[in-house]
């Protein structure tokens, strides 16, 4: 199965951020505020770590709030168009997150919980709808988060027989490209 890439550049600091979504030759941007404070985000993450009975709903609620904050308006329309085309072409979608240095507080946001709040009443997690959320921070990571070379990664690539095949060689090539930077 082929993949489409979306790139979500995040910048800003303090309470207001700017999101710029790129797909094919199309771009859309908007300002947003995080729907919860850093302390509230850590509380939800702690609840998820304890795997309490309410954790699924807490994750869905946080993911929906985050989705609404970032993908309201034009960004949501562009995302919907990209996902619709990917589905019609039987492709999966990859969402690359690229936070800029000045937006370092966004590094700790659980973007993997993004939940499409327009899919009522189900509110589907993007990760469960054929969208891979990838934190593309290698080039934008602040020096305090960088490691000394060599950085060793253990990568597992699975292609279950009951699902559409993925391009394993293509995925390996992506890691080879990262290694050269």
């Amino acid at each position: 199965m082929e993949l489409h890439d979306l790139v979500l550049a995040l910048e800003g600091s303090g309470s207001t951020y700017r999101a710029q979504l790129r797909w094919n030759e199309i771009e859309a941007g908007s300002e947003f505020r995080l729907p919860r404070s850093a302390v509230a985000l850590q509380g939800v993450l702690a609840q998820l770590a304890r795997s309490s009975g309410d954790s699924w709903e807490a994750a869905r609620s946080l993911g929906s709030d985050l989705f609404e904050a970032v993908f309201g308006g034009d960004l949501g329309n562009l995302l919907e168009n990209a996902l619709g085309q990917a589905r019609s072409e039987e492709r999966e979608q990859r969402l690359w997150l690229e936070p800029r240095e000045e937006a370092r507080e966004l590094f700790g946001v659980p973007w993997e919980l993004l939940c499409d709040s327009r899919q009522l009443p189900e509110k589907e997690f993007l990760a469960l709808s054929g969208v891979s959320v990838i934190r593309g921070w290698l080039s934008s990571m602040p020096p305090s988060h960088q490691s000394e070379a060599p950085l060793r990664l253990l990568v597992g690539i699975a292609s279950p027989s009951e699902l559409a095949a993925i391009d394993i060689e293509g995925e390996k090539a992506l890691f080879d490209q990262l290694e050269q930077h």
Side-chain angles (χ1 to χ4, degrees):
M1 178 173 285
E2 289 187 41
L3 294 161
H4 277 176
D5 285 336
L6 285 155
V7 177
L8 182 64
L10 302 166
E11 53 191 33
S13 62
S15 61
T16 303
Y17 302 94
R18 177 146 184 84
Q20 188 77 22
L21 186 65
R22 293 187 308 272
W23 173 65
N24 289 343
E25 303 285 323
I26 306 167
E27 289 190 22
S30 69
E31 290 189 351
F32 72 97
R33 293 177 181 266
L34 286 177
R36 307 204 184 159
S37 69
V39 172
L41 285 173
Q42 293 306 316
V44 171
L45 294 176
Q47 182 181 4
L48 294 173
R50 289 191 303 271
S51 297
S52 68
D54 297 332
S55 62
W56 185 258
E57 192 50 46
R60 181 172 275 138
S61 174
L62 173 59
S64 294
D65 291 348
L66 188 57
F67 185 93
E68 276 299 313
V70 177
F71 290 104
D74 290 341
L75 262 73
N77 294 336
L78 180 55
L79 178 67
E80 189 172 338
N81 289 339
L83 295 179
Q85 182 174 340
R87 281 188 199 107
S88 71
E89 295 174 2
E90 296 183 358
R91 294 179 178 212
E92 289 191 14
Q93 193 72 58
R94 217 174 353 212
L95 177 62
W96 288 93
L97 299 174
E98 292 185 352
R100 304 295 185 239
E101 168 67 25
E102 75 270 8
R104 71 177 61 207
E105 57 269 20
L106 297 178
F107 292 172
V109 173
W111 297 101
E112 295 80 4
L113 297 179
L114 280 171
C115 188
D116 190 348
S117 53
R118 299 168 301 171
Q119 299 293 325
L120 299 173
E122 294 209 10
K123 294 184 181 179
E124 186 176 50
F125 289 101
L126 288 185
L128 296 177
S129 66
V131 178
S132 300
V133 178
I134 300 173
R135 296 171 180 249
W137 294 340
L138 292 178
S139 61
S140 61
M141 190 175 289
S144 63
H145 287 75
Q146 293 179 358
S147 299
E148 293 295 320
L151 178 62
R152 293 184 176 99
L153 299 174
L154 174 62
V155 178
I157 300 175
S159 187
S161 59
E162 67 273 7
L163 298 176
I166 62 170
D167 178 11
I168 293 175
E169 291 305 315
E171 296 298 314
K172 285 181 185 177
L174 286 173
F175 281 98
D176 290 341
Q177 288 174 0
L178 288 174
E179 187 176 47
Q180 295 171 5
H181 291 300

